[in-house]
Amino acid sequence: WSPVGSMVASILRGLGMTPETAVAINELMLIIHLGLGITALVIVPLTKLRHLVYSPLNILVRSRRKEGELETIVDIEDAEILGVGEIEEFSTQRLLSFDACTNCGRCEDVCPATRSGSAFTPRGLIQSLHESIQSTLVSPTHGNGNRPEIDFFTEENTWGCTTCGHCIYVCPVFINPVDQVIDLRRNQVLTTGKMPKSVGDTLRNMERQGNPWGMPPEERTRWTEGLSVRQAKAGEEFDVLLYLGCSMAFDERNSKIAQAIVELLHMNQVDFAYLGLDEACCGETARRMGHEYVFQVMAEENIKMFSQLNFKRIVTPCPHCLNTLINEYPQFGGNYEVLHLTQFLNTLPSDSRKSSKGENDSTPRVVYHDPCYLGRINSIMKDPRNLLDSSKMNRIEMEQNKANSFCCGGGGGHMWLETDAETRINHLRLEDALNAQAEVIATACPYCLTMFEDAIRSKGLSEKIQVFDISEILVKRGEK
Ligand code: SF4
Ligand code: SF4
Ligand code: SF4
């Protein structure tokens, strides 16, 4: 049944066309159609419309790794290529993703580095990689026989990103600029050794002292002085292994959070133990700065240590440790139940959490900042808010919140990178909190807390706004 075809046929017949002529025209049309199709297949990938082909392909073959999980270098001791120094060294999937970019700019609209005024933009990175493919792989020579150089290996492209994951969240064709950034960092750190001084210093601290701060390892338990904290020992059973992370152990301000956490766990009669001097850095900073080797050594040592203990779950107050333990240790056989402290506190029966005093209207306006590695990357957004609400805090929201939260600027090793005073991401996030009329910023990440404290101090606003970890707020609000 072909009503349109029949109608056209009767019109053509009325115009005097014979069936033989119609068949000949039909065959000619088929040949033209086929020719156009083949030409389009050859030309479209070389034009701006290439993403019509590559974008769906990229969506199909994209990496299925979890968002917070970086790719591992398998058999690192024997690997010949560490990171990427030449465009050809990117994997086929990565090369395809550069061609899939629609140049829409959504990634740079949300990128904290770009918005802070840095020269780095994720779109610029992906586009420069695309141009590099065109000039080196597709049309590899110019008239003089030399390869045109597209410099994607810039300092900004390599070190500008905080790995906050916002660009990945908004990209319509599932491009992951963080993978490329880490490839470039691995090349600098593991192959050429030409990295910024602050990166070299931090990595040296991790290799020599076992923590990014470069603090003597014996200082790790200084924060426990005067507190009763059970030491985790092989052969003993306990419910919770408290994995604190280096920031709260070594940083003087953040060690107050550690003390509040211990108080909170005691208040709620939690059966927990802490590794003390045996706790080692999870290695997150080394991995995100590109030193995969140091990371793998740290991960394997921690997994060995955990295997000697008898606990039910790991609880950590640091989203960076959480992400590493949940999403990256399974690459090395470390599979555990890992909870962020705010999740764990929400699992306690509500009558075991001490009731809180105060009413909403008598408390300061508190805004919760979602740490990227807790909210957007690991989807933990309700638990911290529940805790603040159950403490009857006068909680408000910033315009950018939850999965759309804006980074504090401390991730991806940026806690230790020297940044230009004109391009400080933490100053922008502090402005967001001030615009929301907040008097207190609550967060659940020690790096975020440091970044906010730094911004408040350098802007001289400590009379106007303060920052606390949620644990500190709960302890202050709880009845003891
Ligand atoms: S991960 Fe964050 S900082 Fe890095 S490019 Fe994406 S949006 Fe920018
Ligand atoms: S959001 Fe994705 S498609 Fe759009 S410019 Fe960025 S990388 Fe390209
Ligand atoms: S420090 Fe906090 S906000 Fe900043 S990148 Fe890490 S988790 Fe995100």
Side-chain angles (χ1 to χ4, degrees):
W1 190 64
S2 173
V4 178
S6 306
M7 201 171 73
V8 173
S10 58
I11 293 172
L12 292 177
R13 209 177 299 119
L15 291 173
M17 186 181 287
T18 63
E20 291 73 24
T21 315
V23 168
I25 291 175
N26 178 267
E27 280 169 4
L28 182 67
M29 287 299 181
L30 269 178
I31 292 167
I32 292 174
H33 208 131
L34 201 65
L36 283 176
I38 291 170
T39 312
L41 268 182
V42 174
I43 288 179
V44 165
L46 303 175
T47 68
K48 283 190 188 306
L49 294 176
R50 64 185 181 276
H51 59 82
L52 293 177
V53 177
Y54 293 127
S55 300
L57 261 182
N58 187 58
I59 293 170
L60 270 180
V61 303
R62 72 184 189 274
S63 160
R64 296 302 201 265
R65 265 178 289 126
K66 287 176 252 167
E67 191 185 319
E69 179 189 0
L70 293 184
E71 193 169 56
T72 192
I73 301 180
V74 183
D75 295 330
I76 192 165
E77 302 269 6
D78 301 322
E80 283 178 11
I81 296 178
L82 298 166
V84 166
E86 300 283 344
I87 190 78
E88 295 92 330
E89 290 170 2
F90 280 110
S91 68
T92 315
Q93 187 275 322
R94 302 257 219 281
L95 291 171
L96 174 70
S97 76
F98 309 152
D99 279 335
C101 175
T102 63
N103 211 1
C104 69
R106 285 182 209 188
C107 51
E108 69 185 13
D109 288 346
V110 298
C111 175
T114 310
R115 283 176 55 185
S116 71
S118 147
F120 169 73
T121 93
R123 183 179 65 88
L125 168 67
I126 301 297
Q127 284 296 313
S128 68
L129 290 167
H130 163 71
E131 283 164 26
S132 194
I133 299 178
Q134 294 296 314
S135 63
T136 56
L137 301 180
V138 179
S139 46
T141 54
H142 272 177
N144 58 8
N146 291 330
R147 278 182 166 191
E149 288 291 323
I150 304 290
D151 190 13
F152 60 84
F153 210 99
T154 61
E155 179 109 353
E156 290 84 24
N157 280 348
T158 312
W159 298 104
C161 168
T162 68
T163 71
C164 76
H166 211 163
C167 52
I168 307 167
Y169 182 71
V170 297
C171 179
V173 294
F174 296 93
I175 293 170
N176 182 340
V178 175
D179 279 345
Q180 278 66 255
V181 164
I182 298 297
D183 282 339
L184 300 186
R185 289 182 184 181
R186 284 176 177 171
N187 177 266
Q188 280 203 3
V189 169
L190 298 172
T191 305
T192 67
K194 288 184 192 154
M195 65 200 106
K197 183 178 175 303
S198 47
V199 173
D201 291 346
T202 309
L203 291 171
R204 210 166 303 114
N205 286 339
M206 294 191 78
E207 283 176 277
R208 290 184 186 162
Q209 305 283 52
N211 66 81
W213 277 263
M215 297 292 281
E218 60 275 14
E219 301 257 315
R220 190 176 276 277
T221 51
R222 207 155 57 113
W223 67 273
T224 59
E225 276 166 24
L227 291 175
S228 142
V229 186
R230 179 179 167 190
Q231 162 87 36
K233 288 191 191 132
E236 289 182 10
E237 217 175 298
F238 47 93
D239 189 20
V240 167
L241 175 66
L242 175 65
Y243 187 86
L244 202 62
C246 302
S247 177
M248 291 190 192
F250 292 116
D251 180 273
E252 206 177 322
R253 165 66 185 91
N254 287 340
S255 66
K256 293 198 174 77
I257 308 175
Q259 290 160 350
I261 291 168
V262 165
E263 203 172 330
L264 208 52
L265 295 178
H266 282 319
M267 267 162 62
N268 288 287
Q269 292 155 15
V270 176
D271 175 25
F272 74 99
Y274 168 60
L275 274 162
L277 291 179
D278 292 334
E279 185 178 284
C281 176
C282 69
E284 193 256 6
T285 299
R287 188 169 232 199
R288 276 157 185 76
M289 281 188 161
H291 208 319
E292 180 69 7
Y293 185 76
V294 165
F295 166 72
Q296 291 196 10
V297 169
M298 287 181 158
E300 279 160 11
E301 281 174 3
N302 277 323
I303 290 168
K304 200 164 140 202
M305 164 70 70
F306 295 158
S307 71
Q308 293 160 12
L309 302 174
N310 193 354
F311 57 85
K312 289 197 186 115
R313 55 188 70 87
I314 298 176
V315 171
T316 178
C318 173
H320 294 268
C321 300
L322 174 99
N323 181 69
T324 304
L325 297 177
I326 291 186
N327 295 326
E328 299 190 328
Y329 276 24
Q331 294 172 339
F332 306 93
N335 292 290
Y336 316 98
E337 183 191 353
V338 187
L339 297 176
H340 186 258
L341 180 76
T342 55
Q343 286 179 296
F344 175 69
L345 292 175
N346 270 296
T347 66
L348 298 176
S350 51
D351 57 351
S352 90
R353 288 213 311 265
K354 296 285 180 178
S355 63
S356 302
K357 58 190 172 191
E359 291 300 329
N360 290 356
D361 53 8
S362 64
T363 61
R365 285 185 299 279
V366 178
V367 77
Y368 175 64
H369 160 76
D370 291 90
C372 321
Y373 274 84
L374 198 61
R376 182 167 43 248
I377 296 177
N378 284 297
S379 305
I380 301 166
M381 296 173 254
K382 275 191 194 152
D383 294 294
R385 287 178 169 79
N386 281 350
L387 292 174
L388 289 171
D389 292 344
S390 67
S391 290
K392 301 188 179 129
M393 299 305 296
N394 183 3
R395 188 171 65 77
I396 52 174
E397 290 283 357
M398 283 187 261
E399 199 178 319
Q400 280 198 255
N401 57 48
K402 300 180 184 164
N404 195 31
S405 179
F406 190 74
C407 179
C408 72
H414 274 235
M415 271 278 292
W416 294 274
L417 277 176
E418 277 156 23
T419 44
D420 187 340
E422 301 300 311
T423 57
R424 296 225 170 116
I425 298 169
N426 54 345
H427 289 196
L428 294 182
R429 192 53 171 159
L430 176 62
E431 270 169 37
D432 289 346
L434 291 167
N435 289 340
Q437 311 285 318
E439 295 161 286
V440 169
I441 301 167
T443 189
C445 169
Y447 292 2
C448 300
L449 190 131
T450 301
M451 298 309 286
F452 278 116
E453 286 241 308
D454 181 58
I456 292 170
R457 204 178 313 113
S458 66
K459 286 190 165 256
L461 291 172
S462 43
E463 298 293 313
K464 198 169 178 192
I465 192 161
Q466 291 176 290
V467 56
F468 294 105
D469 188 270
I470 287 184
S471 322
E472 296 177 297
I473 294 175
L474 293 180
V475 167
K476 272 191 196 147
R477 299 280 294 163
E479 289 173 354
K480 285 174 259 164

